[in-house]
């Protein structure tokens, strides 16, 4: 039986090619994902580990106990503590570390490092072991900085050049005193690092006279644990904590691994979708192969082969096919992993140097996935073939599915579909994250139910295309009949395309609806003409508000300033605003009282008010971050949204209790409304700072739309793999169908249907099947998009369902194009059949 199975594989290698390709693509996606994420993770871990070479023990500040009315505050690391740490037995040296956000502009005025990777810090003395100088000297005074070599290379800066940069809003223009090398992971990822001398860094990063961390280097012969114990003895308990350099490196490696796991999971989900779609092709292929070899299998049964042996022979064929596809997929996946790493470089994302990582786990996973998927998909056709009695198989009375089997299938499909719809509808009544799991379960049940029902659905839906097919004469009529002749095969072929289009349509509906809700939110909640903020989301200096207030045409402005507090033994963040102007800059729906902010009168969003049991006129006691307490009165309650929420009070009330006041954003209203001229005046007042964003309402919406568009395009690209696999399925089904119907096609040719008619028949059959899958996929996608929107609507009041009719028409056109392209080779093959040879074939 083993030799028989191998001979069958070689005998049908052309017909198995598409199956091999489908499995190969899925395995390539899986192995490519594992190679890519393992390579990137390994490179970052090794790079970050180098960054801790100069740290044997790190001293970090601790927060005050978060109990009672005490607001969590962070203790400061001072110079006396640094001197104590440097003087303990076993310490060779100690460095006070200061860091914060620093945005550097290139020579064209554009931000380097994308904002989030733009970092700043301090250069320790004249020779900092962390940052070896490659040119120039250490920075001294506020007018000098040192920059990393990679940033200098990318921006074209040299020692002596003037650089425009920003820490929290105002523009600074120091001179490049030195260029240094570094193993900093942010720089390796394409960011920038600017270093000031220590006093300047302390002043700029709001930590005058103190440090963010103290790094201690051990003397030769002293272990990290011994040094840590010695430092613990001189550190006042509760003010600072210590950690070894090894633990820092391990924690960093774990963080990198955790960060990469999200990307790995997302990519593997799409690889799983491609493999799932591939199972339809495999099942189709083996079903048709088994059907074509029914008499051969019956003969094996007649000469003594058992049912198990017949099933085993089919599974052996599947094993060989899966193994070949898995090996090819692994090789292709290694190439994909290397290509994805190179692609990151072309997109501007720098990755640390390191070897391509192909772990034993990746190899094992690729081989296991390829073989298992193929064997599981082939098991049912093999089992079905083994159950056919030899005499029945030889006389071909087994060919059609019994009415009983179809009724059972339709009953199961109807039950699964109904259960799926019911669970999805139930999930739409739930709030936020609570409904995600039920909705996912319902979606799976519905997709499986529709797949099981697809043979039943194929007849009426394909029949609806009959009027159009009549235009093509006898070829159209034959195409329609061929499409419904074997509904199970049509269902499996169409379902592969259906799944891909379901996901694509559902995501498109959600993205369009979310964008519409964001537009409504920005338009309805904000009256301000502009919102000014930092490019990386960090806080702004209070100087920004002062500079904007002096600009001609500015009528009203208000900073939004966050500050921690304790209310009813809970931590609550207060939002400081300009009480006299905030009502003119926002348009929030007030449900109780009046929108009045000033003195001890505050406004609160409805969720916060409900959680504390407040209403208009309620008094409550707040404990500020400096420990001072005050009674405040709720003047009004408003409906929150994703942009504005929380407890708003006047900055004149909040400011005396803040140590380092900083603004998250500043809202600005101008006399002439939003215009290019007004925006230019605001930008010039801030020194044309590349780190500061000045956005009107449309800019805010476009910013979010850009994020959605980027995510959607990435998802389209990932789902393209599933669509390609579905195309292979249509090609494979048609090619094998042509082979199966060779005698019939020869007879059609003999009675007068020309080659063009044969080609047209095969193409129309492919088109009908593809459009059938497209209609099902788009319909399910719209339903899932609506359901997910209902779930989001519970947390986003402005959510509104938007049906992208243009995109859906494009998806239907894509399905039609898939059908036309997939039929090119099978149609040509059918037309070239020799009619006499075909008529004589069995």
């Amino acid at each position: 039986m083993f030799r028989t199975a191998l001979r069958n594989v070689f005998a049908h290698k052309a017909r198995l090619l598409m199956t091999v390709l489908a499995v190969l693509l899925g395995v390539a996606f899986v192995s490519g994902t594992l190679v890519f994420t393992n390579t990137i993770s390994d490179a970052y871990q090794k790079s970050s580990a180098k960054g801790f070479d100069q740290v044997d023990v790190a001293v970090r500040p601790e927060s005050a106990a978060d109990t009672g009315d005490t607001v969590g505050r962070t203790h400061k690391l001072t110079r006396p503590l640094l001197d104590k740490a440097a003087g303990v037995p076993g310490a060779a040296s100690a460095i006070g570390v200061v860091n914060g956000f620093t945005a550097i502009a290139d020579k064209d005025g554009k931000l380097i490092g994308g904002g989030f990777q733009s970092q700043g810090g301090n250069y320790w003395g004249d020779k900092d072991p962390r940052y070896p100088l490659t040119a120039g000297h250490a920075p001294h005074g506020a007018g000098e900085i040192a920059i990393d070599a990679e940033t200098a290379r990318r921006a074209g800066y040299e020692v002596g050049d003037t650089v425009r940069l920003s820490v929290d809003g105002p523009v600074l223009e120091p001179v490049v005193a030195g260029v240094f090398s570094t193993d900093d992971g942010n720089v390796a990822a394409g960011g920038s690092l600017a270093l000031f001398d220590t006093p300047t860094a302390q002043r700029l990063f709001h930590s005058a006279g103190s440090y963010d961390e103290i790094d201690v280097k051990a003397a030769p012969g002293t272990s990290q644990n011994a040094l840590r114990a010695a430092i613990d003895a001189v550190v006042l308990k509760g003010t600072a904590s210590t950690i070894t350099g090894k633990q820092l490196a391990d924690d960093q490696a774990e963080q990198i691994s955790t960060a990469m796991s999200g990307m790995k999971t997302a990519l593997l989900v799409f690889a799983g979708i491609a493999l799932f779609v591939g199972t339809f092709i495999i099942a189709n292929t083996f079903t048709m192969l088994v059907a074509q070899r029914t008499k051969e299998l019956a003969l094996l049964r007649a000469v003594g082969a058992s049912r198990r042996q017949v099933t085993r022979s089919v599974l052996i064929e599947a094993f060989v096919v899966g193994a070949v596809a898995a090996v090819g997929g692994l090789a292709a996946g290694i190439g994909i992993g290397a290509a994805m790493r190179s692609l990151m470089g072309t997109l501007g994302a720098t990755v640390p140097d390191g070897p391509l990582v192909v772990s034993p786990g990746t190899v094992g996973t690729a081989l296991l996935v390829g073989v298992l998927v193929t064997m599981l998909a082939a098991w049912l056709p093999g089992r079905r073939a083994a159950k056919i009695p030899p005499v029945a198989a030889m006389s071909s009375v087994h060919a059609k599915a019994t009415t009983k089997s179809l009724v059972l299938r339709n009953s199961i499909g109807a039950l699964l579909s109904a259960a799926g719809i019911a669970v999805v509808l139930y999930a739409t009544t739930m709030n936020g994250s609570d409904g995600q799991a039920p909705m996912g379960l319902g979606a799976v049940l519905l997709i499986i139910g529709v797949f099981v029902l697809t043979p039943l659905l194929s007849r009426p839906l394909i029949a609806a295309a009959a009027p159009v097919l009549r235009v093509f004469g006898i070829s159209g009529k034959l195409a329609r009949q061929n499409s419904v002749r074997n509904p199970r095969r049509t269902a499996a072929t169409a379902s592969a395309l259906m799944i891909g289009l379901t996901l694509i349509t559902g995501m498109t509906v959600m993205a369009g609806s979310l964008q519409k809700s964001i537009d409504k939110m920005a338009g309805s909640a904000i009256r301000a003409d502009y919102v000014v903020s930092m490019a990386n989301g960090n806080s702004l200096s209070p100087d920004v508000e002062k500079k904007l207030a002096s600009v001609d045409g500015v009528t009203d402005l208000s900073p939004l300033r966050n500050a921690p507090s304790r209310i009813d033994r809970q931590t609550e963040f207060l939002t400081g605003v300009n009480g006299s102007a905030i009502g003119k800059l926002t348009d929030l729906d007030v449900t109780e009282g009046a929108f009045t902010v000033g003195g001890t009168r505050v406004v609160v969003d409805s969720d916060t008010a409900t959680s504390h049991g407040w209403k208009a006129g309620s008094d409550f006691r707040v404990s500020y971050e400096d420990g001072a307490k005050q009674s405040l009165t709720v003047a009004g309650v408003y409906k929150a949204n994703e942009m504005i929420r929380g407890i708003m009070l006047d900055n004149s009330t909040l400011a005396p209790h803040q140590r380092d006041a900083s603004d998250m954003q500043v809202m600005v209203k101008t006399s002439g409304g939003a215009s290019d001229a007004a925006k230019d005046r605001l930008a010039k007042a801030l020194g044309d700072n590349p780190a500061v964003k000045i956005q009107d309402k449309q800019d805010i919406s476009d910013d979010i739309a850009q994020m959605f568009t980027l995510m959607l395009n990435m998802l389209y690209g990932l789902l393209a793999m599933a669509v390609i696999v579905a195309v292979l399925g249509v090609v494979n089904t048609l090619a094998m169908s042509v082979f199966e119907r060779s005698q019939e096609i020869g007879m059609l040719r003999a009675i007068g249907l020309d080659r063009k008619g044969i080609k047209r028949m095969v193409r129309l059959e492919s088109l009908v099947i593809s459009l059938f899958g497209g209609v099902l996929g788009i319909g399910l996608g719209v339903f899932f998009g609506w359901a997910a929107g209902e779930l989001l609507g519970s947390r986003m009041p402005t959510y509104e369902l938007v049906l992208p009719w243009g995109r859906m028409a494009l998806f239907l056109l894509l399905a039609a194009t898939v059908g036309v392209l997939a039929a090119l080779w099978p149609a040509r093959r059918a037309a070239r059949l020799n009619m006499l040879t075909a008529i004589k074939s069995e």
Side-chain angles (χ1 to χ4, degrees), residues 403-460:
T403 304
K404 180 182 177 182
S405 67
L406 288 174
V407 168
L408 180 62
R409 176 172 180 148
N410 293 338
S411 300
I412 293 172
L415 287 172
L416 288 172
S417 299
I421 292 172
V423 174
V424 168
L425 292 177
Y426 170 71
T428 61
T429 64
M430 303 174 75
N431 290 324
S433 58
D434 294 340
Q436 290 178 4
M439 186 164 289
L441 174 62
V444 171
L445 288 174
L446 181 55
I447 288 176
I448 294 174
V450 171
F451 166 66
V452 175
L453 279 177
T454 307
L456 178 66
L457 298 173
S458 64
R459 291 185 178 275

Side-chain angles (χ1 to χ4, degrees), residues 77 321 430 487 518 619 640 763:
L77 304 180
V321 170
M430 303 174 75
I518 294 296
D619 294 325
R763 287 171 183 166

Side-chain angles (χ1 to χ4, degrees), residues 121-123 125-126 137-146 165 172-177 195-204:
N122 67 314
Y123 194 92
D126 293 321
H137 60 82
H140 295 288
E144 292 185 347
I145 63 162
L165 58 83
L172 306 174
E173 295 187 337
V175 173
V176 177
L195 300 178
F196 307 86
D197 68 0
T198 300
T200 303
Q202 288 175 326
R203 177 175 58 81
L204 290 174

Side-chain angles (χ1 to χ4, degrees), residues 462 465-485 744 748 753 757 760-762 764-765 768:
I462 292 175
V468 178
L469 293 175
R470 287 197 193 100
V471 176
F472 298 96
I474 190 66
S475 296
K477 183 178 181 180
L478 289 170
R480 184 181 66 80
Q481 291 175 347
N482 288 334
S483 300
V484 296
R485 177 188 298 180
E744 175 189 319
L748 289 171
L753 190 63
R760 191 180 300 119
M761 176 188 74
V762 176
L764 288 173
E765 181 182 347
V768 166

Side-chain angles (χ1 to χ4, degrees), residues 181-193:
S181 61
T182 178
D183 292 313
D184 187 281
N186 285 320
V187 174
S192 62
L193 180 61

